[in-house]
Each structure stands twice: as structure tokens, then as C-alpha cells.
Amino acid sequence: MSNSDKFPINTHHTASVEIQQLNEMEAGAKYEVLNARLNYAFSLFQVAWYNALLPRAFHLPLPGPTLAFLVLSTPAMFDRALKPFLQSYNLQSLTDPVDQCVAYHLGRVRESLPELQVEIIADYEVHPNRRPKILAQTAAHVAGAAYYYQRQDVEADPWGTQHIAGVCMHPQFGGWFAIRGVVLLPGIEVPDLPPAKPLDCVPTRTDRISLLEGFNFHWRDWTYRDAVTPKERYSEEQKAYFSAPPAQRLALLGLAQPSEEPSSVSAQFLFTTLIPKKPQNPRRASDWLNPRVSPPASPGP
């Protein structure tokens, strides 16, 4: 468990299910189920930590101590999760294999926890007004999984009026990872969960400038991802997949183009929609509002 400190869990009744009292051992077992099911990285956080950094319009409408998990995919995801998923389930209709793979496995997480209410928000989900349902990089920072470097982290920055987007760096994988979403457990509260502080793995002003400029202006060459020396990078095959236009990615995996019929996997494991509260002072936390790991034109996660 990335947050290895033990913590007590308080539970209460929800509208849909009665949650039995969980002790520390049971909580650990639940966490291991999540880890084993995806072979991805999970980090714990309280909803309150996330909401505290954002204007009300972006809040998760749950009690502050509610337990949440951030979901990250590491470079191994491509071979260990995506390829077996495609080989085992022989899907006839795919719109985005990676997103559908994540949706499938998160659906398995929900199935493995039948006594709990589980709500899942994928990193790409948006409301009808296009506002993101989760600000993925903010969630990664408060969960202690990756440090969210922003313009405000560079003293006397050199960019004048230019817009500079922030980017997360992982202490083990650098920029060679992707934030896939969050798993929320309404009714499970962890008021004594110790706050997680992300490791500042790009500590100098010079290196932070280089990272942010590489991310904003030269992201196509992948080099910004090496701002932290990673223990593992994307394979050449994986880089080719994410660099290709979406319409060509299925062919790279040896798959046919999708038919008009929607995929059974994406339909079976629909993500839960959370409705945000009314906006309040949206400028208060504007530096935390970049939802993605890459600029809009980025080749991929």
C-alpha cells in the first residue's frame, strides 16, 4: 500500500447500501483487491484534500473524509493490461481500446466489492458544458502520487504573458505514466488518514523551467517525460500507438475499425456521473484547473 500508515475506518449508512464496520485488516484486503485487479498504481486520498484546492464548481459532492483512490497506469499497462484484454475478450467494436480496457477493469473492481457503493470517474469524462468531472492532476497531487508542477512553482518565471500549462511528474516513472481516474467509496470515511505529500522530484528552478517548457512547447519529442530519470519508459510500440492519429491506432494493434454498434464492455461498465455544486469564486484556484496530463494536442498519455 503506497500510504502504508495504518488508519481506522468509520462507516455509515448510505442511501443505497448499509456498510458494515471495517477494521484495518479488512481495509487493507480491499486495497489489495484493487491493486491486484488492475496491475496499476493506486493512491489513497480524502475528498476534502481535493476539494480544498478547487472552487466549488469543481468539488466532488461527498463528505470531506470520504475515501478515494487515484488510479495511475504505468508503462507496463500496455503489455500487461491492454494486450491481454484485447486477446481475451475479442471485442467486435472498439472506439478507444485503452479507455475501454480501463473501463472494463474498473468495472471488475466494482464487482469485487459488492457490499460497497463504488463510484468511478474516468479522467476524460466531462459534463454537458465540457467542464471536467475530475481534475486529474490535482487529484494526483493531493493523493501524493505525482507532483503537479505549475507556473506558480517557478520563482520569477520567464514566460511573460504566455500561457503555461502544468504537468505532473512521478518520482519513479517521471512523465511515463497516465492518470486514468478516481474510485470513490461513498459511505467509507477515513478522517484519520494522514495527508499524503507528493515527492518534489524536480526541485530546482532551472529544471522546473526546462520541464514546463518541454511539456508546453516540445511535447512531441517525449523528452520532458525524462525530467525525472524513470525506472521504466513506454516501449517503442506504445509510443507509436499514442503518437498515431486516433483513427490509425486500432490498425497498429491489428484490430478492425469499429462498427456502428457500441461496445458491450463500454456499455456494461458505465461510469457514475457526479453533479457538481454551484460555482463559487472560480478564480480562487485557477492554477489547479488543468485536467489532463498533456496539452490538448498531445500524442497521448
Side-chain angles (χ1 to χ4, degrees):
M1 185 182 299
S2 59
N3 293 31
S4 57
D5 298 31
K6 294 183 177 180
F7 54 89
I9 301 243
N10 295 335
T11 63
H12 60 267
H13 297 276
T14 67
S16 59
V17 63
E18 181 177 301
I19 309 293
Q20 294 184 349
Q21 184 68 31
L22 302 178
N23 59 30
E24 292 177 6
M25 182 180 299
E26 289 171 327
K30 298 300 182 188
Y31 185 83
E32 292 305 320
V33 167
L34 292 170
N35 255 337
R37 186 65 72 182
L38 273 176
N39 291 320
Y40 292 174
F42 281 77
S43 297
L44 306 174
F45 67 99
Q46 285 186 27
V47 165
W49 305 346
Y50 174 86
N51 287 349
L53 293 177
L54 298 169
R56 190 176 297 274
F58 291 89
H59 283 188
L60 297 171
L62 293 168
T66 299
L67 178 62
F69 297 89
L70 179 85
V71 184
L72 299 180
S73 66
T74 67
M77 174 276 296
F78 198 76
D79 289 317
R80 295 180 185 175
L82 178 62
K83 288 183 177 179
F85 167 74
L86 297 175
Q87 294 168 359
S88 298
Y89 294 93
N90 192 26
L91 301 180
Q92 299 301 311
S93 177
L94 287 170
T95 55
D96 189 313
V98 173
D99 287 345
Q100 286 172 279
C101 176
V102 174
Y104 170 77
H105 283 106
L106 291 179
R108 294 288 297 274
V109 169
R110 181 185 283 114
E111 285 183 334
S112 73
L113 302 171
E115 75 279 21
L116 300 182
Q117 181 183 354
V118 179
E119 297 181 358
I120 299 168
I121 308 177
D123 70 302
Y124 53 79
E125 289 191 89
V126 295
H127 293 285
N129 64 0
R130 308 305 297 169
R131 184 170 61 229
K133 293 184 179 181
I134 190 73
L135 298 179
Q137 299 200 102
T138 300
H141 190 93
V142 301
Y147 199 107
Y148 185 18
Y149 291 98
Q150 304 169 73
R151 184 172 185 165
Q152 66 188 29
D153 295 312
V154 177
E155 184 177 356
D157 75 69
W159 298 300
T161 59
Q162 287 181 290
H163 172 71
I164 300 295
V167 62
C168 277
M169 282 285 117
H170 192 281
Q172 292 182 312
F173 298 105
W176 302 96
F177 75 101
I179 304 167
R180 297 301 178 184
V182 298
V183 177
L184 304 169
L185 300 179
I188 304 296
E189 297 189 357
V190 286
D192 297 320
L193 180 67
K197 186 176 181 180
L199 179 65
D200 182 0
C201 46
V202 186
T204 70
R205 178 179 182 272
T206 299
D207 288 343
R208 290 179 180 181
I209 290 174
S210 178
L211 166 63
L212 291 173
E213 289 186 347
F215 176 66
N216 282 270
F217 308 131
H218 310 291
W219 49 263
R220 289 183 179 86
D221 65 13
W222 303 87
T223 56
Y224 81 87
R225 298 176 188 260
D226 286 329
V228 173
T229 301
K231 71 175 188 180
E232 186 178 3
R233 295 179 176 89
Y234 290 176
S235 65
E236 291 303 314
E237 181 185 25
Q238 189 171 178
K239 289 166 66 175
Y241 175 86
F242 287 124
S243 295
Q248 299 175 17
R249 292 178 178 178
L250 293 178
L252 290 175
L253 296 178
L255 299 170
Q257 293 300 312
S259 66
E260 295 299 322
E261 183 180 348
S263 167
S264 59
V265 168
S266 59
Q268 183 177 358
F269 299 115
L270 293 176
F271 292 115
T272 300
T273 299
L274 293 179
I275 303 174
K277 299 177 182 179
K278 294 181 180 180
Q280 178 179 344
N281 190 16
R283 293 185 180 180
R284 178 170 61 88
S286 59
D287 287 333
W288 291 92
L289 303 186
N290 183 2
R292 301 291 297 195
V293 176
S294 304
S298 170

